[in-house]
Amino acid sequence: MTARSALRHIALGSLLALIGAAPAPAGAAGFLVYDITGESIGKASAVSASTTEPAAVWYNPAAMAFMPGYQFSAGGTTVFARNHFTPQGADHDIDGKQATFFLPAIFGTARLSDRWAVGLGGFTTFGLGVEWPADWIGRENAIKASIQTFTLNPGVSYRLLPNMSLAAGLQVVRASVDFKNGLPAAIGGGTVEIGGATWGVGGNAGLLWRVAPEVFHAALTYRSRVKLDFTGRADFNVTAPEFQTNPALQDQGGKATITLPDIITAGFMFRPVKKLELTFDANITFWSTYDKLVLDFDVAPTQTLIRNNHIATTLRLGADWTTPVEGLHARAGFIFDQNPSPKEFLAPSLPDANRTDFAIGLGWEHKWFKIDVGYLLVYFLPSKAEPLPGQTQLEGPVGTYNTIAHLLSTTLTFKLDQPKPAPQVVATAK
């Protein structure tokens, strides 16, 4: 293998990891982390038609028009995840390293008048990471991969009718990637590490119709795609002396573009009795925005990888029970999350699968203060990476991936009522 062809092989595997970096432990298919607050996680994030917390900025900004006063929330979600791979024909698993992440989420909302409200959120909803042993069978495709994003999302909501509101917002996304692949044995082994960062901009909108206020609500939200043009550097650690001075294996620049998907959500809330709230949300995520990947390195020739991801649907069911204990809520939920990636394109940096998630949570509120805790078990159904008939190879070894993740979230919310107008003094003639 020549140095030039080796670098081409590295580019294919390494920048593939850039795009698929770390979806495995995420809370939704692909690398979308949809579940980001303690209250929402407890109800499987089926909250678009029912939310009254500041995180409405993310889940449905139209709800802000019905939220009183000023509210502020701060918290985060800790993710624990591990991947396992069983090579075809083997009787043992290869264990990925335990991954632990903290995803912050901060929100604030303000009711400006009977009709207008505004909000601002800062949160992480795309990302996470995966890491495999340095000497495992798929080391040339991925050893370590991560992508991190942080979104700033201002929004405004308007009450169009007494029981209907609209909203619109702007999302500004900062994204960075960092990953490591193994170099081919034909050039003596070693590793290549690639990192890069970029900004992207999109928008979002929401509708909330309180058909029968506090009894039956319907919601519709849209969050736009965001284009991310990554520019970064590739640092080579070549162990074989005869390749260390080759220009094709020197540190160099590279770039690639990915597009975060559009998300459409339809939701309903029904309260059969005063103390029990039942919710349902359906998310449609347009992962078809990731149908191919064009890779451009300073030295390696341009490559086009076909990914063929498809639109994926997520179904969410939630329940919130107001217990006899004053201020205490008990919650539970279930999620089915569809895999957007065909099995012939599964790779170590993107070992995705259909998922079934189980949620529980508690919330306690007293006057101006509220604390919510939620737990989500994310179970990835076994997903086999195998080529189609006539397909020569995969972007990794043939075998079966298994993943399990735990999300634990805590959110503190503070509420401040709007000041009441001072009473007017009317002067009277003496």
Side-chain angles (χ1 to χ4, degrees), residues 360-423:
I360 56 173
L362 290 172
W364 180 75
E365 183 173 4
H366 181 69
K367 296 181 179 179
W368 52 268
F369 174 75
K370 186 161 72 88
I371 181 170
D372 296 287
V373 178
Y375 167 75
L376 185 68
L377 170 65
V378 183
Y379 176 70
F380 290 60
L381 301 177
S383 185
K384 188 173 184 180
E386 59 180 351
L388 293 175
Q391 185 179 354
T392 57
Q393 63 181 22
L394 296 170
E395 296 292 342
V398 177
T400 302
Y401 293 96
N402 289 274
T403 301
I404 192 167
H406 308 271
L407 280 67
L408 181 62
S409 184
T410 301
T411 304
L412 305 179
T413 302
F414 306 88
K415 300 181 179 182
L416 177 65
D417 290 336
Q418 290 172 304
K420 296 180 180 179

Side-chain angles (χ1 to χ4, degrees), residues 242-296:
E242 62 270 27
F243 289 102
Q244 290 177 353
T245 58
N246 193 298
L249 295 175
Q250 301 304 304
D251 296 348
Q252 61 188 273
K255 56 186 179 181
T257 297
I258 66 172
T259 301
L260 302 180
D262 308 88
I263 307 170
I264 295 176
T265 299
F268 302 93
M269 183 278 285
F270 175 58
R271 189 172 278 114
V273 295
K274 184 177 180 180
K275 295 185 179 296
L276 179 62
E277 176 186 278
L278 304 177
T279 54
F280 170 77
D281 273 19
N283 309 127
I284 301 175
T285 306
F286 288 77
W287 284 111
S288 51
T289 59
Y290 178 30
D291 61 340
K292 64 181 179 180
L293 169 62
V294 179
L295 315 175
D296 186 6

Side-chain angles (χ1 to χ4, degrees), residues 84 334-339 346 351-358 378-384 400-404:
H84 306 274
F334 173 78
I335 303 171
F336 175 77
D337 208 354
Q338 185 183 18
N339 179 14
L346 284 179
D352 216 340
N354 291 328
R355 313 174 194 187
T356 55
D357 307 347
F358 303 89
V378 183
Y379 176 70
F380 290 60
L381 301 177
S383 185
K384 188 173 184 180
T400 302
Y401 293 96
N402 289 274
T403 301
I404 192 167

